[in-house]
C-alpha cells in the first residue's frame, strides 16, 4: 500500500515545494514594502479611532514580528495563482481529459473569488465591525489597540472571507466530478444556513451587523452554488436513473 502511495506523496511534495518557494520569494519582495502594506491594513482602524487614540505596540520585538506577519500575509495573497495552479496540477491526474481543460478557469476564478471576499471584508465589513468594537465603551476608556493583535485579527478575517467566497468555485468542481447535485445542495440548505451563521459568529466581531454582513453574502453564494450545480450536474429524475440501471444491466 505504501508503494502505491509513493508517487502521490512525491507529487504532493513537489507541488508543496513550488508553492512554498513562491511564497518565500514573494515574502522577501513584500518585506521591502511592509510599511506601505501595513498602512493600508490599518486604514480601516484609523478611520474609526476617536481623538486621542493611536495604534501602539507593547512588547519588545512586536513591531519587527508585525512586519514579518504583514509581509507573509501579502506574500500569500500574491502567491494565490501559483498555489491554486499547483493544487490543480496535483488533482489533475485523477481527472478525465475534458475536465483537465478547466485549469485556467479554476486558477482565475479561485483567485478572483478569494480577492473579492477579502475586499468585501475590507471595504464593507471592517468599517462597521471596527467602528462598533472601538467605540464601545469609548466614554469610559481610551482606545490604544496593539498593532500585533490587530494584524492577527485583520488577517484572520481577510482569509475567512476570502475562503468563504470560494464556495461557488468549489461547488462547480464538485459538481463536475459528480459529487454534488442541485438537489443535494437544496436538501442541505437548512443545515448550511446554520453552519453559515456559526462561521459568521466565529469569524466576525461580536455584533449582529457584522455577522449579518458575512452571513448574507454566504447565503447568496450558496444559492448561486445551487444554480451552478443545476447547470453542471443536475439531479436526475427517477425515470432516468431507472433507464441507466436497465442499460447497465443490459450491457452486463
Amino acid at each position: 500500500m505504501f508503494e502505491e502511495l509513493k508517487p502521490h506523496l512525491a507529487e504532493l511534495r513537489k507541488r508543496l515545494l513550488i508553492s512554498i518557494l513562491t511564497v518565500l520569494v514573494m515574502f522577501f519582495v513584500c518585506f521591502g514594502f511592509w510599511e506601505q502594506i501595513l498602512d493600508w491594513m490599518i486604514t480601516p482602524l484609523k478611520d474609526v479611532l476617536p481623538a486621542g487614540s493611536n495604534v501602539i505596540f507593547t512588547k519588545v520585538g512586536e513591531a519587527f514580528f508585525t512586519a514579518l506577519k504583514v509581509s507573509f500575509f501579502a506574500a500569500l495573497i500574491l502567491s494565490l495563482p501559483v498555489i491554486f495552479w499547483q493544487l490543480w496540477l496535483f488533482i489533475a491526474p485523477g481527472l478525465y481529459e475534458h475536465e483537465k481543460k478547466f485549469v485556467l478557469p479554476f486558477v482565475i476564478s479561485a483567485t478572483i473569488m478569494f480577492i473579492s471576499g477579502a475586499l468585501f471584508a475590507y471595504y464593507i465589513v471592517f468599517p462597521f465591525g471596527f467602528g462598533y468594537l472601538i467605540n464601545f465603551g469609548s466614554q469610559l476608556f481610551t482606545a490604544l489597540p496593539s498593532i500585533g493583535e490587530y494584524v492577527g485579527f485583520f488577517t484572520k478575517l481577510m482569509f475567512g472571507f476570502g475562503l468563504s467566497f470560494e464556495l461557488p468555485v468549489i461547488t462547480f468542481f464538485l459538481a463536475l466530478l459528480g459529487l454534488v447535485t442541485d438537489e443535494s445542495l437544496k436538501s442541505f440548505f437548512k443545515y448550511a444556513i446554520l453552519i453559515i451563521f456559526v462561521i459568521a459568529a466565529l469569524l466576525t466581531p461580536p455584533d449582529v451587523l457584522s455577522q449579518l454582513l458575512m452571513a448574507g453574502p454566504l447565503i447568496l453564494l450558496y444559492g448561486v452554488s445551487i444554480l451552478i450545480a443545476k447547470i453542471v450536474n443536475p439531479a436526475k429524475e427517477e425515470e432516468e436513473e431507472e433507464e441507466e440501471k436497465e442499460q447497465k444491466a443490459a450491457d452486463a
Side-chain angles (χ1 to χ4, degrees), residues 122-133:
Y122 184 87
Y123 289 106
I124 304 298
V125 178
F126 288 179
F128 292 100
F130 293 160
Y132 172 82
L133 292 176

Side-chain angles (χ1 to χ4, degrees), residues 86-103:
Q86 296 306 309
L87 174 62
W88 181 269
L89 291 178
F90 177 69
I91 65 175
L95 302 177
Y96 294 108
E97 286 301 320
H98 71 278
E99 294 171 342
K100 293 179 181 179
K101 67 182 180 181
F102 288 103
V103 55

Side-chain angles (χ1 to χ4, degrees), residues 47-242:
D47 289 344
V48 297
L49 281 177
S53 297
N54 206 347
V55 184
I56 63 171
F57 69 89
T58 58
K59 300 176 183 176
V60 176
E62 185 174 357
F64 174 73
F65 288 110
T66 296
L68 296 182
K69 290 179 185 178
V70 168
S71 303
F72 184 68
F73 165 75
L76 275 177
I77 299 296
L78 293 176
S79 302
L80 282 177
V82 175
I83 293 172
F84 288 134
W85 187 285
Q86 296 306 309
L87 174 62
W88 181 269
L89 291 178
F90 177 69
I91 65 175
L95 302 177
Y96 294 108
E97 286 301 320
H98 71 278
E99 294 171 342
K100 293 179 181 179
K101 67 182 180 181
F102 288 103
V103 55
L104 198 57
F106 171 75
V107 172
I108 294 174
S109 60
T111 303
I112 289 175
M113 290 305 294
F114 187 98
I115 292 175
S116 297
L119 292 179
F120 178 83
Y122 184 87
Y123 289 106
I124 304 298
V125 178
F126 288 179
F128 292 100
F130 293 160
Y132 172 82
L133 292 176
I134 291 297
N135 291 301
F136 185 85
S138 59
Q139 68 276 14
L140 299 174
F141 312 105
T142 299
L144 296 172
S146 164
I147 187 61
E149 292 181 2
Y150 171 77
V151 168
F153 188 57
F154 178 95
T155 53
K156 171 189 169 185
L157 285 176
M158 290 287 273
F159 278 110
F161 273 87
L163 291 173
S164 299
F165 272 57
E166 296 288 354
L167 183 59
V169 179
I170 295 171
T171 301
F172 174 82
F173 288 98
L174 289 178
L176 188 67
L177 296 173
L179 299 176
V180 297
T181 66
D182 56 317
E183 287 301 325
S184 65
L185 291 177
K186 287 178 184 177
S187 62
F188 191 71
F189 183 72
K190 58 184 178 181
Y191 303 106
I193 296 295
L194 177 61
I195 293 171
I196 285 171
F197 274 98
V198 169
I199 292 173
L202 292 174
L203 292 181
T204 59
D207 65 284
V208 176
L209 181 58
S210 297
Q211 292 168 11
L212 288 175
L213 284 172
M214 184 175 196
L218 281 178
I219 294 172
L220 180 62
L221 288 171
Y222 193 90
V224 172
S225 298
I226 294 175
L227 294 177
I228 290 172
K230 187 175 182 63
I231 295 171
V232 178
N233 185 37
K236 296 176 181 177
E237 299 292 337
E238 291 185 7
E239 295 180 2
E240 293 179 2
E241 292 180 355
E242 289 297 326

